[in-house]
Amino acid sequence: MDLGSAVGISIGNTIGATIIGWGSSSLIFGMLCIQVWTYYQRYPNDHITYKLLVAALWTLEAVHQAFVGHIAWFYIVENLGSAIVLLHPPVWTLSFQTLLGSFVGTIVKMCFAMRVWKFSKGNYLVTGLIMGMTLAQFATAIVYTIRSFSLRLVQADQIKTLGSIALSLGVVTDVITAASLSYFLHKMRTGYKRSDTLINRLIIYSVNTGLITSVFSAAVLVSYNLMPSNLIFISFYFSLSKLYANSCLATLNTRRFVQGRGTDHEEATIPTFLMVANTFTRPRSLHPQREQRQLDVPQQKVSFASDSDKIPQFAQAW
């Protein structure tokens, strides 16, 4: 019995998984490149904060994809058929891509946490919980990366607990973020058909984006716990950070379209980290007397951004 068979490793769950992971990661990175190009085409007047965020995410993911390519080359080309490689620590790019992917996820989750902060009108508990879990996941990923350098591939199950904690934190954070956004958005309903329709769109969009990353995180978590000594889990993880980056870019690119509007070639936008002002802009009433009678009725404060005074729009929010 050879070494690979002794530890439950085969060509399919190592080389095959690496090829599939590299291919799917390349595909999703290509989608990210298209989104980045689309962003700069659609929003040339966007705030510099947006542009720096997009540039940083693309740069980090480009480096991450280069790491994935090196991993595939190392295990598929340089060491094809060599079981001795299992007795050595993982190639350095395999460890570093874990940390880099977690860093990208941390950036995106922090951005979404700011959405929760603004939509909740400064809810310290929920926002703090999301940020705390995000930072805890990143800290765990750092420890996991450091430990991985001193272990052989066949000993990966020795740090399974660390990896499981980090992945579990990621899944729970995504679920809490999506649920919080849905809840606070629902509370911002005003009774106006136009604004409520936009809120419904944002709720659906928040749930969908959180669902995709949650499913992939869960897939990594399950496969890692069931098969920690092979590379099936890593084939999912290769794509996870790119899904986070894509969700962030998709949110930026659909800010106008989710409101039924075009792009903002004509006007600049403020950073979404500062979104949702404490004002409520309403159209001029056709019944001034009715409007006067409603002045004493408490109104829920919801931001609207409009291209004209006649059409109320929901705040620019991602």
Side-chain angles (χ1 to χ4, degrees):
M1 180 180 294
D2 60 19
L3 178 61
S5 301
V7 295
I9 293 177
S10 66
I11 293 178
N13 60 28
T14 53
I15 294 177
T18 303
I19 293 175
I20 293 175
W22 171 78
S24 60
S25 177
S26 300
L27 177 62
I28 300 176
F29 179 66
M31 295 168 59
L32 178 65
C33 292
I34 294 174
Q35 290 224 61
V36 170
W37 181 85
T38 301
Y39 167 78
Y40 285 113
Q41 289 293 314
R42 286 182 177 176
Y43 300 96
N45 300 321
D46 238 354
H47 195 277
I48 187 63
T49 306
Y50 286 147
K51 296 180 178 180
L52 290 176
L53 173 63
V54 172
L57 288 177
W58 183 89
T59 301
L60 290 172
E61 282 305 324
V63 175
H64 185 270
Q65 185 59 25
F67 284 179
V68 172
H70 179 264
I71 295 167
W73 176 269
F74 181 82
Y75 288 108
I76 298 174
V77 179
E78 287 189 11
N79 293 279
L80 179 62
S82 175
I84 196 66
V85 72
L86 302 176
L87 300 178
H88 295 285
V91 64
W92 66 273
T93 45
L94 183 58
S95 296
F96 272 116
Q97 68 85 28
T98 304
L99 182 61
L100 186 57
S102 180
F103 182 55
V104 171
T106 299
I107 293 175
V108 175
K109 290 176 183 179
M110 284 296 187
C111 291
F112 283 121
M114 292 307 298
R115 294 184 71 194
V116 175
W117 166 262
K118 290 301 179 179
F119 280 131
S120 66
K121 295 180 173 61
N123 189 304
Y124 287 96
L125 179 62
V126 178
T127 307
L129 177 63
I130 294 174
M131 289 187 171
M133 293 180 68
T134 299
L135 293 176
Q137 181 188 12
F138 184 57
T140 308
I142 294 176
V143 178
Y144 180 91
T145 301
I146 295 174
R147 287 287 309 278
S148 68
F149 281 110
S150 60
L151 297 175
R152 297 176 295 176
L153 278 178
V154 294
Q155 298 174 320
D157 57 341
Q158 295 185 19
I159 52 175
K160 183 173 67 174
T161 301
L162 280 174
S164 298
I165 291 174
L167 293 169
S168 299
L169 286 171
V171 174
V172 176
T173 303
D174 289 343
V175 172
I176 293 178
T177 301
S180 300
L181 286 172
S182 300
Y183 173 74
F184 291 119
L185 281 168
H186 182 77
K187 289 183 63 177
M188 297 175 72
R189 294 176 183 274
T190 64
Y192 286 89
K193 182 177 181 181
R194 170 64 71 86
S195 60
D196 286 355
T197 299
L198 297 178
I199 289 175
N200 289 336
R201 290 180 183 176
L202 287 173
I203 291 175
I204 295 173
Y205 190 83
S206 298
V207 171
N208 288 340
T209 53
L211 180 63
I212 295 174
T213 53
S214 297
V215 168
F216 256 75
S217 296
V220 178
L221 177 62
V222 171
S223 59
Y224 183 58
N225 277 274
L226 294 178
M227 299 166 287
S229 298
N230 59 45
L231 299 179
I232 290 180
F233 74 93
I234 209 70
S235 65
F236 290 105
Y237 191 82
F238 282 164
S239 302
L240 184 58
S241 66
K242 293 173 179 58
L243 289 174
Y244 279 113
N246 268 285
S247 67
C248 183
L249 264 295
T251 304
L252 288 172
N253 284 334
T254 56
R255 281 171 294 163
R256 298 281 177 167
F257 290 100
V258 78
Q259 303 171 17
R261 299 161 65 181
T263 58
D264 66 346
H265 283 273
E266 304 84 14
E267 57 182 289
T269 58
I270 62 173
T272 48
F273 311 120
L274 307 177
M275 64 192 173
V276 188
N278 292 322
T279 58
F280 188 127
T281 303
R282 297 176 57 183
R284 186 183 299 276
S285 176
L286 298 178
H287 304 282
Q289 294 181 352
R290 183 183 302 172
E291 185 74 20
Q292 181 65 32
R293 289 197 298 270
Q294 293 177 350
L295 287 178
D296 296 331
V297 179
Q299 299 289 340
Q300 183 180 8
K301 294 182 179 181
V302 180
S303 289
F304 285 92
S306 62
D307 292 328
S308 67
D309 293 335
K310 296 181 180 180
I311 303 176
Q313 297 285 351
F314 193 66
Q316 299 218 10
W318 53 302

